[in-house]
Amino acid sequence: MTTADVAEVFEELYGSAPEGVWAAPGRVNLIGEHTDYNDGFVMPFALPHTALAAVSRRTDGAVRLHSSDIEGGVIELRLDALAPESDKNWTAYPAGVIWALLDAGHESVSGGADIHLTSTVPTGAGLSSSAALEVVVALALNDLYELGLQGWQLARLCQRAENVYVGAPTGIMDQTASACCTDGHALFLDTRDLSQDQIPFDLAAEGMRLLVVDTQVKHSHSEGEYGKRRAGCERGAALLDVTALRDVPYEDLDAALTRLADAGADEEVQRLVRHVVTEDHRVERVVALLKSGGDTRAIGPILTEGHASLRDDFQVSCPELDLVVQAAVESGALGARMTGGGFGGSAIVLVEAEEADRITKAVESAFDSAGYTAPRVFAAVPSAGARRVR
């Protein structure tokens, strides 16, 4: 659906043209998984797939919401009735953003809004469809109500909406990627202080492609497994007497694991700590390689190493994700790993451009042989972050 289409549907729904149309992308995380809520390092980039929002202000304290992607008509909510975890529908994401803005003292938003949404970000694929939905609404309201908030501030508010209003214990990476990524770059983000470094990432210029393989296995962050692992990381940090696992130096990992065992930490906590500390180190290695101007192909084995850690130490992979990585690497891919929170979703595969079709077919054949639903495969191109498009 084009920008003009979104505006046209808005006018059909609400009786007048929108004041504007905004876009916010989904994201792929190149490296740095489950490190963001441990104050660590991540390296996402924005996809060309976006959530689009046509929005106008209201003055009566109501928000009207509609999505082209969900069956049903316009849903109207009163802003003074918004309460955390009161909404278990898709509307919790945009409504949660408004709640977070009001809770942060942005009273001008209390007039409300009419919002029409549509998205090309695959849902349940680990590509941050929910963050794109949150960020596009936040940016629209920021512009319309002239709140003057920067991208990282909008990301913080959107994270609070998802954590508190929706009830999903996600970190800050997804919202920051959607709000702050730039075209042709990967975003090296320190999730502790939100400092950002845009790293040039033009695979096409070097004869490579990064494939996204959507396994079609749906996942849900708000289910207990994600929160369980986050709690395990926090327990590990407490036993090591650090603010977050980010504070455990890679060089001291063996000593830290010994301390955990001596303190009575179970094997699961030790595994979680090992993943986070080694994953932060992997992000730093990838950043160093990309900044050095050397051969980007060298990041491939680091991606594959990261998958093994997510599979064995963090235990958030699934048979379909493991099969993508195995089939791709055995077919000559430079590297591959699951991306996103896990328990389904997508994997990324770094390939030579001329090998993309052959390796795609190898993965599809492996899925067919295993009796799995055929995966969706597309090339990921580092794209622009959230912006006004009309």
Side-chain angles (χ1 to χ4, degrees):
M1 186 175 284
T2 67
T3 301
D5 292 334
V6 174
E8 184 178 331
V9 172
F10 180 99
E11 188 164 359
E12 291 171 0
L13 289 167
Y14 300 123
S16 61
E19 292 184 79
V21 179
W22 288 260
R27 66 95 187 99
V28 160
N29 193 23
L30 181 63
I31 192 74
E33 220 65 78
H34 291 277
T35 50
D36 58 346
Y37 54 81
N38 289 290
D39 281 4
F41 305 123
V42 294
M43 200 173 188
F45 63 85
L47 289 168
H49 306 72
T50 60
L52 289 171
V55 184
S56 286
R57 289 167 289 182
R58 295 176 64 87
T59 59
D60 61 353
V63 57
R64 292 192 292 182
L65 299 163
H66 182 268
S67 170
S68 292
D69 309 314
I70 308 289
E71 286 190 17
V74 173
I75 297 171
E76 183 169 335
L77 304 170
R78 296 296 307 173
L79 299 193
D80 56 11
L82 299 181
E85 298 194 55
S86 61
D87 187 349
K88 300 302 179 184
N89 300 308
W90 71 269
T91 49
Y93 294 96
V97 169
I98 298 173
W99 171 85
L101 286 165
L102 290 169
D103 191 59
H106 300 289
E107 288 299 324
S108 60
V109 177
S110 61
D114 286 335
I115 302 172
H116 168 62
L117 296 152
T118 190
S119 180
T120 58
V121 184
T123 58
L127 302 175
S128 299
S129 58
S130 60
L133 196 62
E134 293 158 358
V135 169
V136 76
V137 170
L139 180 61
L141 296 175
N142 183 56
D143 287 355
L144 289 175
Y145 282 102
E146 298 180 345
L147 303 180
L149 298 171
Q150 298 179 49
W152 67 269
Q153 293 172 303
L154 294 176
R156 276 284 193 219
L157 285 163
C158 290
Q159 182 199 18
R160 179 164 167 74
E162 190 152 351
N163 288 173
V164 180
Y165 195 89
V166 178
T170 55
I172 190 65
M173 173 183 66
D174 296 349
Q175 293 84 0
T176 305
S178 186
C180 301
C181 279
T182 60
D183 191 27
H185 293 76
L187 175 65
F188 176 39
L189 174 68
D190 182 333
T191 65
R192 170 165 283 170
D193 61 12
L194 296 190
S195 59
Q196 303 176 18
D197 193 358
Q198 302 284 352
I199 310 292
F201 191 56
D202 185 359
L203 293 176
E206 297 186 61
M208 288 177 286
R209 283 188 199 162
L210 191 72
L211 305 176
V212 175
V213 182
D214 177 3
T215 64
Q216 309 281 355
V217 178
K218 303 300 182 184
H219 72 143
S220 175
H221 276 163
S222 55
E223 292 177 2
E225 290 300 317
Y226 186 105
K228 186 174 150 189
R229 280 158 182 75
R230 183 166 184 165
C233 291
E234 290 168 355
R235 173 163 167 72
L239 289 171
L240 291 170
D241 195 27
V242 292
T243 302
L245 293 182
R246 142 75 171 277
D247 298 311
V248 180
Y250 175 74
E251 296 76 16
D252 296 346
L253 176 59
D254 289 343
L257 294 174
T258 299
R259 282 180 61 197
L260 287 171
D262 291 344
D266 60 27
E267 186 250 351
E268 181 183 18
V269 170
Q270 294 176 56
R271 284 191 287 98
L272 297 177
V273 170
R274 182 166 55 229
H275 167 73
V276 173
V277 175
T278 57
E279 186 78 347
D280 272 334
H281 186 54
R282 279 185 282 274
V283 177
E284 292 179 302
R285 288 161 62 196
V286 168
V287 170
L289 282 167
L290 294 179
K291 279 191 161 184
S292 72
D295 191 349
T296 302
R297 289 164 178 79
I299 73 174
I302 303 175
L303 303 184
T304 308
E305 181 186 311
H307 182 79
S309 182
L310 288 159
R311 180 193 65 210
D312 301 335
D313 279 345
F314 226 72
Q315 297 189 358
V316 291
S317 189
C318 67
E320 292 85 352
L321 288 167
D322 293 341
L323 185 57
V324 173
V325 174
Q326 178 185 346
V329 172
E330 288 180 354
S331 300
L334 297 164
R337 73 170 191 91
M338 59 157 280
T339 186
F343 309 109
S346 299
I348 54 174
V349 182
L350 184 66
V351 299
E352 302 286 359
E354 66 269 18
E355 295 289 318
D357 290 343
R358 185 182 64 79
I359 291 172
T360 295
K361 288 174 183 173
V363 171
E364 291 171 340
S365 176
F367 267 55
D368 184 57
S369 297
Y372 296 150
T373 300
R376 178 188 177 208
V377 185
F378 59 92
V381 180
S383 301
R387 67 263 183 209
R388 185 168 187 160
V389 292
R390 178 179 174 129

